[in-house]
Amino acid sequence: MILKQVLPIFGAGALGYVGYRLGLTLVNARAGASKRVAELAGLDASKSAAAEGVDFGSEAHKTRLAFQRLGLNVAGWEGMAITLARVVSAVTIFLLLRILGMPPLTALLGLLAGPILVGGFLTDAWNGVQKDIEREIPLFLSGLSSTVQVTPNVLQAVEDEAQALRAGGPLQTWLLKVFLPRCQREGFEALEALTREAAALSSSLGIVVFLIGRMWQTGGAEWRKAFETAAGNLEGVLDARVLGQSIGTTAKGSVRLIAVITLGIIVMIVRTPALANVVQQPIVQIAYAAIVIAMVFGLQFMNKLIDEAF
């Protein structure tokens, strides 16, 4: 009896894994084919990739980062990837709820829960990027405070310290691909827009860009000393914030655990033979459906609340 109940779950999991691996293979094959076509046409592959670049922090960029966590490269078809993810997640949740024995009406709400969870997945991925930026800012500020004392060229100092950051990290990418090119191309006029853009990524990064901009515009030993003092204060604030973020991550895990336990209790009740007739009543199915939807919305709300708090 137990084997009959567990076997469909393992079967669904295996089918989902096979689908994931098949999708990954198709995506990689598509990327490889595009590269071969470019090479046959005599095009520079790096230039071809640059042509498909997107602005840092744009919706397309956020989508690419999220799917990279799954090992998928969705460059060039971000919208389709989101649509497919919503459909696959909705169908998967529906089938999983039915396999677990949930009533039909409750399982149908998986079609609504799937897109909600995909939205949460995209948001969590971008929040992770913002946290990575704030974790690296203290190291960047510490090095820059020392470098500007001996290097009169502020932009050169920023470039030197950016190169010392984690290769390919979000802070290094933004500094080298966005901040420095625009400053070198537009001069002081780029600072206002860059400060706003940096603040949208992270309030702390916005402060950093403002301080660098003032030091770059004003110059002199006094401003370099002022930058060192302000950077030291900001480092202390960010160290405390990073600690708070680690606590927030633990809190998120606790919220997910509570949701899983609650769902497990509901499944146990639904699969109890003595309550089989009661579970099939429409009012009971509606109640279960309301609980499942409340869990999904509550999980997303608590994650957002924790991210905003830290």
Side-chain angles (χ1 to χ4, degrees):
M1 179 65 69
I2 297 178
L3 182 60
K4 291 182 178 180
Q5 295 175 349
V6 174
L7 190 59
I9 299 177
F10 279 104
L15 184 61
Y17 178 76
V18 170
Y20 165 74
R21 296 302 303 180
L22 178 60
L24 182 61
T25 301
L26 291 175
V27 169
N28 291 336
R30 179 181 181 274
S34 299
K35 184 177 180 180
R36 287 192 297 271
V37 169
E39 291 173 348
L40 290 173
L43 300 176
D44 186 347
S46 61
K47 292 181 179 179
S48 177
E52 295 181 358
V54 293
D55 293 335
F56 193 98
S58 65
E59 291 302 319
H61 180 226
K62 294 178 181 179
T63 302
R64 293 183 186 184
L65 289 173
F67 281 92
Q68 281 177 3
R69 297 171 64 182
L70 301 177
L72 297 173
N73 179 11
V74 298
W77 55 292
E78 294 86 0
M80 182 181 296
I82 293 177
T83 301
L84 288 174
R86 289 171 176 168
V87 172
V88 171
S89 61
V91 173
T92 300
I93 293 175
F94 169 77
L95 293 176
L96 181 61
L97 291 176
R98 288 299 293 153
I99 290 172
L100 292 175
M102 299 297 286
L105 181 59
T106 304
L108 280 175
L109 287 179
L111 303 178
L112 177 62
I116 295 174
L117 293 178
V118 170
F121 167 70
L122 297 175
T123 301
D124 285 344
W126 183 243
N127 287 339
V129 171
Q130 293 175 313
K131 291 177 182 178
D132 285 343
I133 289 176
E134 294 189 345
R135 289 191 187 99
E136 292 191 284
I137 285 178
L139 176 63
F140 172 72
L141 286 178
S142 178
L144 186 60
S145 298
S146 301
T147 303
V148 294
Q149 302 300 323
V150 296
T151 303
N153 189 329
V154 174
L155 294 184
Q156 183 60 51
V158 171
E159 182 176 0
D160 291 342
E161 293 306 318
Q163 296 288 358
L165 295 172
R166 179 167 57 91
L171 181 56
Q172 185 192 69
T173 301
W174 189 81
L175 289 172
L176 296 179
K177 299 296 180 62
V178 179
F179 178 77
L180 287 172
R182 288 181 60 179
C183 286
Q184 293 165 350
R185 184 173 62 251
E186 303 173 25
F188 296 148
E189 296 180 357
L191 289 175
E192 183 178 354
L194 284 170
T195 302
R196 290 196 304 267
E197 181 178 330
L201 297 174
S202 163
S203 57
S204 301
L205 183 59
I207 296 173
V208 170
V209 172
F210 173 78
L211 293 174
I212 293 174
R214 294 297 295 173
M215 182 172 58
W216 181 32
Q217 288 178 301
T218 308
E222 293 79 8
W223 263 103
R224 288 197 292 270
K225 185 63 177 177
F227 175 83
E228 183 179 5
T229 302
N233 294 334
L234 186 57
E235 284 180 49
V237 173
L238 286 174
D239 287 338
R241 188 168 184 179
V242 169
L243 178 60
Q245 288 173 352
S246 65
I247 297 174
T249 301
T250 303
K252 282 185 177 182
S254 300
V255 171
R256 295 190 184 100
L257 179 60
I258 293 173
V260 171
I261 292 175
T262 303
L263 181 61
I265 293 173
I266 294 176
V267 170
M268 290 177 61
I269 295 174
V270 169
R271 299 182 72 88
T272 301
L275 300 176
N277 293 331
V278 177
V279 170
Q280 297 305 318
Q281 296 180 10
I283 187 65
V284 176
Q285 294 191 29
I286 292 174
Y288 282 148
I291 293 173
V292 172
I293 287 297
M295 286 172 53
V296 173
F297 276 106
L299 185 62
Q300 300 303 317
F301 175 78
M302 290 301 298
N303 284 341
K304 182 179 179 181
L305 191 65
I306 292 172
D307 286 332
E308 292 177 351
F310 297 103

